[in-house]
Amino acid sequence: MLINLKNLAVGDLGKVVGFDKSGKAYRKRLLAMGLTPGTQFSVTRFAPMGDPVEIKLRGFSLTLRKDEAEILLIEKLQ
């Protein structure tokens, strides 16, 4: 089941499955930041208004704006 990053809670683990077709403008940027399909990450924190969200992947923390986070297709891991 594919979900959006906003459906995860702090501490949840996820895996990038792909990108929404409506997000072509952000796709290259996300790939350059290391969010390639198959990449696993954990949600570190959400800002009080939900934007931005911080995730930890490949040994570093990455902060994504709401627009960028919405195009990620994610699989929740246990």
Side-chain angles (χ1 to χ4, degrees):
M1 182 170 120
L2 300 179
I3 59 171
N4 198 303
L5 190 57
K6 67 182 177 183
N7 299 107
L8 296 178
V10 173
D12 283 348
L13 300 175
K15 180 172 80 170
V16 177
V17 177
F19 304 97
D20 191 294
K21 293 183 191 294
S22 65
K24 285 187 178 185
Y26 294 118
R27 187 175 184 275
K28 271 187 169 179
R29 183 180 300 162
L30 294 171
L31 287 168
M33 288 189 274
L35 288 167
T36 56
T39 302
Q40 294 184 10
F41 64 89
S42 63
V43 179
T44 308
R45 67 180 121 188
F46 286 95
M49 299 300 286
D51 186 26
V53 59
E54 183 179 277
I55 60 175
K56 186 166 180 108
L57 68 145
R58 300 180 187 212
F60 68 93
S61 294
L62 178 65
T63 304
L64 297 172
R65 293 180 298 184
K66 199 176 200 177
D67 295 340
E68 296 169 333
E70 284 179 351
I71 71 159
L72 286 173
L73 298 177
I74 295 169
E75 178 183 337
K76 185 176 178 180
L77 302 176
Q78 301 303 333

